[in-house]
């Protein structure tokens, strides 16, 4: 069992609700064990509706409130809203700089984000978030001459020890979420604007999804990740 007491975790999610869906049980488990969890929400989710009566700004406001409530359920310590427009993330200097800044500010032992290499079809925001987060971890946050102006703000280079990727086609680590599955569901359903199923039906679907990994760790339910260990 991983001892998470006192460890620092940075979660980088493309949209409000992605982290809850992919890693909510693990986030709740680790925060309950004493980890300090910071959530970075890259987009404001302002295109996440089929209701034509709502403006993008209305959707963004709703989704910020939902994300704030969900983070509280999971025991997240701090939420950072980068407020990029939904479906408009780019692998560029600005976005990478933002993630490097958060890494150097919060100095995580572990980064959790989405696997960018999903096969065949994937949301572009998911791909860009995962790719830029990994690049920010290595080498940009590590090297003092990368974004060197941050040194003037006291943001020294930082070496992340581990990365956990949810949504991977090749998971190799499985986290028992038997005791935190309820919090995962509660947090996900804080995002009520995104839920098409009743909570009971959605919970059953999630239980079926994560039950296929439980046996890996002698549990009923587990969340799968690709784990990357970085050299120090």
């Amino acid at each position: 069992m991983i001892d998470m007491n006192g460890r620092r975790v940075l979660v980088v999610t493309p949209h409000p609700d992605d982290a809850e869906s992919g890693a909510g049980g693990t986030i709740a488990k680790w925060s309950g064990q004493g980890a300090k969890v910071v959530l970075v929400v890259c987009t404001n989710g302002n295109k996440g509706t089929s209701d034509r009566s709502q403006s993008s700004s209305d959707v963004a406001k709703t989704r910020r409130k939902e994300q704030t409530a969900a983070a509280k359920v999971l025991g997240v310590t701090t939420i950072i809203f980068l407020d990029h427009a939904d479906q408009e993330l780019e692998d560029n200097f600005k976005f990478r700089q933002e993630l490097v800044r958060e890494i150097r500010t919060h100095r995580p032992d572990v980064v959790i984000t989405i696997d960018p290499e999903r096969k065949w079809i994937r949301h572009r925001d998911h791909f860009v978030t995962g790719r830029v987060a990994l690049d920010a971890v290595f080498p940009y946050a590590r090297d003092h001459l990368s974004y060197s102006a941050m040194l003037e703000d006291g943001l020294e280079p930082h070496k992340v020890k581990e990365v956990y990727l949810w949504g991977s086609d090749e998971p190799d680590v499985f986290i028992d979420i038997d005791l935190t599955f309820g919090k995962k569901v509660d947090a996900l359903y804080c995002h009520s604007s995104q839920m098409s199923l009743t909570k009971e039906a959605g919970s059953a679907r999630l239980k079926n999804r994560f039950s296929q990994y439980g046996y890996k760790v002698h549990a009923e339910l587990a969340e799968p990740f690709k784990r990357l260990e970085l050299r120090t």
Side-chain angles (χ1 to χ4, degrees):
M1 178 179 175
I2 304 171
D3 181 8
M4 295 303 296
N5 186 34
R7 299 191 80 189
R8 298 180 300 274
V9 179
L10 186 74
V11 182
V12 182
T13 184
H15 308 102
D17 81 9
D18 288 333
E20 289 82 357
S21 178
T26 298
I27 294 168
K29 181 173 186 170
W30 286 358
S31 66
Q33 293 174 345
K36 179 181 179 181
V37 181
V38 174
L39 176 66
V40 178
V41 187
C42 298
T43 72
N44 59 18
N46 65 341
K47 296 182 177 68
T49 186
S50 59
D51 183 352
R52 296 194 178 193
S53 69
Q54 292 195 55
S55 68
S56 290
S57 61
D58 288 339
V59 176
K61 289 175 184 176
T62 295
R63 300 199 70 184
R64 180 183 280 248
K65 290 178 182 177
E66 291 174 344
Q67 182 63 86
T68 301
K72 185 175 181 179
V73 171
L74 297 180
V76 169
T77 306
T78 304
I79 313 175
I80 309 296
F81 292 100
L82 298 184
D83 280 329
H84 290 273
D86 197 0
Q87 301 177 13
E88 296 181 24
L89 283 178
E90 295 294 340
D91 182 348
N92 58 24
F93 181 94
K94 180 178 183 293
F95 184 32
R96 188 166 56 250
Q97 181 182 49
E98 288 174 332
L99 296 188
V100 169
R101 177 173 291 276
E102 298 308 327
I103 291 170
R104 291 187 180 178
T105 298
H106 300 287
R107 311 188 75 76
D109 302 295
V110 180
V111 168
I112 304 177
T113 192
I114 193 166
D115 191 328
E117 301 303 331
R118 200 75 182 266
K119 293 179 181 178
W120 311 124
I121 189 167
R122 59 195 175 192
H123 195 302
R124 180 167 172 78
D125 285 345
H126 292 189
F127 165 70
V128 173
T129 296
R131 183 66 267 157
V132 176
L134 288 171
D135 290 340
V137 166
F138 177 86
Y140 291 92
R142 180 201 65 175
D143 294 345
H144 74 281
L145 293 178
S146 296
Y147 300 106
S148 58
M150 291 185 189
L151 298 175
E152 299 174 9
D153 298 328
L155 298 179
E156 291 291 327
H158 177 68
K159 295 180 181 179
V160 175
K161 297 175 183 177
E162 300 174 280
V163 176
Y164 284 71
L165 301 174
W166 79 75
S168 177
D169 290 327
E170 300 177 349
D172 54 13
V173 167
F174 306 88
I175 307 295
D176 174 351
I177 60 166
D178 284 352
L179 297 181
T180 54
F181 178 73
K183 286 189 175 182
K184 176 185 178 73
V185 174
D186 288 345
L188 191 57
Y189 271 79
C190 286
H191 299 276
S192 57
S193 70
Q194 305 302 300
M195 298 297 109
S196 59
L197 298 176
T198 65
K199 190 172 184 179
E200 182 180 10
S203 179
R205 176 178 287 185
L206 286 167
K207 185 166 286 188
N208 182 63
R209 174 181 167 189
F210 292 102
S211 65
Q212 63 182 302
Y213 305 108
Y215 77 96
K216 299 274 190 179
V217 286
H218 307 290
E220 181 182 356
L221 304 167
E223 287 177 336
F225 298 91
K226 180 70 177 177
R227 177 180 175 272
L228 309 175
E229 184 174 5
L230 286 85
R231 299 176 186 174
T232 57

